[in-house]
Amino acid sequence: VALSGVSEGNIEALLVAIGEDNLDLLPEGVAAAPLKGTDILVCCHRQRDARCGYCGPVLVAEFEKELEDPKYKAAGEVRVHK
């Protein structure tokens, strides 16, 4: 889902809602909308994991060559990425 209306003041309640997998618990002012299509997150962060710093840019280059309409993000850090 795509979230809007997230701020420092409501992040704790938002994390509770996400942790409980219950969007009905979203804090006031935060809206959730379904994503359309497919997004690919590619970790390219070299400092925490050298494999990502090496393989990430290679994967992004391959996606650019092979996909007609690539929708990917070269992410600085994707927490659960191994």
Side-chain angles (χ1 to χ4, degrees):
V1 296
L3 298 170
S4 62
V6 178
S7 68
E8 278 188 50
N10 61 22
I11 192 72
E12 195 170 319
L14 173 64
L15 292 175
V16 168
I18 292 171
E20 294 186 15
D21 196 22
N22 186 349
L23 294 180
D24 292 331
L25 298 177
L26 288 176
E28 187 175 330
V30 175
L35 295 174
K36 296 177 182 161
T38 301
D39 291 323
I40 301 169
L41 299 177
V42 180
C43 182
C44 297
H45 196 277
R46 182 178 316 221
Q47 195 167 2
R48 284 196 68 166
D49 193 328
R51 295 170 292 186
C52 294
Y54 176 79
C55 296
V58 173
L59 286 170
V60 169
E62 288 300 314
F63 285 137
E64 287 174 339
K65 286 192 317 191
E66 298 295 329
L67 299 176
E68 288 181 28
D69 184 23
K71 291 182 181 176
Y72 57 86
K73 300 264 187 214
E77 179 64 31
V78 179
R79 292 283 172 196
V80 181
H81 65 287
K82 293 181 185 176

